[in-house]
């Protein structure tokens, strides 16, 4: 058993087993114990171990079952990271000392970092004769993207955001080329390999979109939590602009 654990745990394990053999009392539950195991390749992995004992011809023997719980451990770590992130977002949005613009800039920066998408921006969309005809203008931006600097405008037909407002106000493109965007005017203009965006509404009217993106595809899909975050910030932005009558 000790061969399967890092050396720093072996002394404690041996002491615990010696104490059990002497007192017949378990210091921890043997039903399921989570700890760090040693992979045969030499790196450490999270594992769950359960123990049992039996007598064999008068000798006490122990049986252990080890399960790799790396997937569960990763999910739990991600859940904790998102919890801490949302707490950070709450503190930011409720900070009375910051203006709306300052809060939004911080949110774009925090979202870009946490989503691992280096560009974040808020757009103003003005439509004429339907949702694909009009103009998109960048009003706030995070990240160094030449085509997405504040004040930059383009035809709505050349933007990813035209599909966002058509697609019930939300769009995810984890891999633009794999999703068939390679010949789209938006891909040719902005060269964005990944995109996630949500519509921003003010007084139930379309104001624009809030989006995050990167040049290269960063993932196979966006998680429900990532999608919820983008939608939440877009709704918050719309509410704040309503409140301030912008």
């Amino acid at each position: 058993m000790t061969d399967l654990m890092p050396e720093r745990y072996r002394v404690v394990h041996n002491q615990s087993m010696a104490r059990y053999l002497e007192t017949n009392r378990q210091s921890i539950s043997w039903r399921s114990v989570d700890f760090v195991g040693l992979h045969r390749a030499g790196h450490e992995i999270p594992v769950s171990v359960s123990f049992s004992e039996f007598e064999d011809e008068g000798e006490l023997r122990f049986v252990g079952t080890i399960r790799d719980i790396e997937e569960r451990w990763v999910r739990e770590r991600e859940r904790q990271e998102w919890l801490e992130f949302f707490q950070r977002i709450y503190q930011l949005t409720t900070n009375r000392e910051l203006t709306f613009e300052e809060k939004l800039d911080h949110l774009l920066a925090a979202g870009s970092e946490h989503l691992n998408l280096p560009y974040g921006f808020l757009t103003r969309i003005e439509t004429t004769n339907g949702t694909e005809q009009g103009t998109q203008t960048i009003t706030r931006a995070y990240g160094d993207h030449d085509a997405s600097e504040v004040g930059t405008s383009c035809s709505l037909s050349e933007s990813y955001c035209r599909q966002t407002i058509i697609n019930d106000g939300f769009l995810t493109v984890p891999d633009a080329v794999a999703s068939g965007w390679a010949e789209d005017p938006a891909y040719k203009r902005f060269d964005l390999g990944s995109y996630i965006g949500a519509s921003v509404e003010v007084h139930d009217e379309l104001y624009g979109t809030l989006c995050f993106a990167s040049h290269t595809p960063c993932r196979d899909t966006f998680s429900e939590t990532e999608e919820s975050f983008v939608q939440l910030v877009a709704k918050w932005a719309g509410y704040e602009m309503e409140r301030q009558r912008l």
Side-chain angles (χ1 to χ4, degrees), residues 92-93 95-104 122 140 201-203 207 235-246:
L92 175 61
T93 56
N95 188 335
R96 295 173 181 263
E97 297 181 359
L98 297 177
T99 66
F100 165 70
E101 291 78 10
E102 289 172 331
K103 291 178 181 179
L104 183 57
L122 176 71
R140 308 297 295 187
E201 294 186 352
V202 177
H203 296 300
Y207 172 87
K235 287 185 179 296
W236 171 84
Y239 167 76
E240 285 294 306
M241 284 189 279
E242 283 182 6
R243 193 171 64 85
Q244 299 182 33
R245 300 180 180 179
L246 295 180

Side-chain angles (χ1 to χ4, degrees), residues 85-118:
F85 179 68
F86 276 117
Q87 289 172 340
R88 174 183 167 194
I89 295 304
Y90 172 78
Q91 293 173 352
L92 175 61
T93 56
T94 56
N95 188 335
R96 295 173 181 263
E97 297 181 359
L98 297 177
T99 66
F100 165 70
E101 291 78 10
E102 289 172 331
K103 291 178 181 179
L104 183 57
D105 288 343
H106 283 303
L107 285 170
L108 291 175
S112 292
E113 177 184 353
H114 208 75
L115 294 170
N116 195 29
L117 299 173

Side-chain angles (χ1 to χ4, degrees), residues 7-225:
E7 187 172 352
R8 64 184 182 275
Y9 296 130
R10 295 176 185 178
V11 172
V12 174
H13 170 74
N14 290 333
Q15 290 174 344
S16 296
M17 291 304 298
R19 187 163 51 249
Y20 172 73
L21 292 173
E22 182 179 344
T23 64
N24 199 34
R25 291 182 180 179
Q26 300 175 7
S27 58
I28 57 175
S29 172
W30 287 6
R31 184 171 298 177
S32 181
V33 181
D34 293 350
F35 75 101
V36 177
L38 193 62
H39 193 276
R40 63 182 176 182
H43 62 274
E44 296 181 1
I45 58 173
V47 296
S48 178
V49 180
S50 59
F51 296 95
S52 61
E53 60 179 328
F54 66 95
E55 284 193 12
D56 180 23
E57 297 182 353
E59 291 189 14
L60 188 61
R61 299 188 181 277
F62 297 91
V63 176
T65 302
I66 300 177
R67 292 186 297 113
D68 184 343
I69 59 170
E70 186 166 11
E71 281 191 23
R72 190 188 79 190
W73 183 78
V74 169
R75 288 196 303 269
E76 290 175 352
R77 184 179 62 181
E78 289 177 347
R79 185 161 46 245
Q80 181 61 34
E81 288 176 351
W82 273 106
L83 177 59
E84 294 173 358
F85 179 68
F86 276 117
Q87 289 172 340
R88 174 183 167 194
I89 295 304
Y90 172 78
Q91 293 173 352
L92 175 61
T93 56
T94 56
N95 188 335
R96 295 173 181 263
E97 297 181 359
L98 297 177
T99 66
F100 165 70
E101 291 78 10
E102 289 172 331
K103 291 178 181 179
L104 183 57
D105 288 343
H106 283 303
L107 285 170
L108 291 175
S112 292
E113 177 184 353
H114 208 75
L115 294 170
N116 195 29
L117 299 173
Y119 313 123
F121 43 93
L122 176 71
T123 75
R124 180 75 172 100
I125 292 177
E126 297 174 294
T127 60
T128 56
N129 300 324
T131 53
E132 290 203 41
Q133 301 297 319
T135 303
Q136 170 189 281
T137 302
I138 307 297
T139 60
R140 308 297 295 187
Y142 174 82
D144 298 324
H145 189 284
D146 294 339
S148 299
E149 296 179 350
V150 174
T152 304
S153 297
C154 72
S155 170
L156 186 59
S157 63
E158 296 181 307
S159 72
Y160 287 77
C161 295
R162 79 180 191 278
Q163 290 296 334
T164 302
I165 60 180
I166 291 173
N167 194 44
D168 294 327
F170 189 66
L171 178 68
T172 62
V173 184
D175 186 330
V177 173
S179 301
W181 283 74
E183 299 302 318
D184 191 278
Y187 184 78
K188 292 182 178 180
R189 180 182 179 87
F190 291 95
D191 188 28
L192 297 175
S194 286
Y195 168 97
I196 180 169
S199 294
V200 176
E201 294 186 352
V202 177
H203 296 300
D204 297 323
E205 296 290 335
L206 177 67
Y207 172 87
T209 57
L210 186 136
C211 320
F212 295 91
S214 69
H215 276 305
T216 57
C218 295
R219 51 180 51 77
D220 295 326
T221 185
F222 289 97
S223 70
E224 291 183 7
T225 308

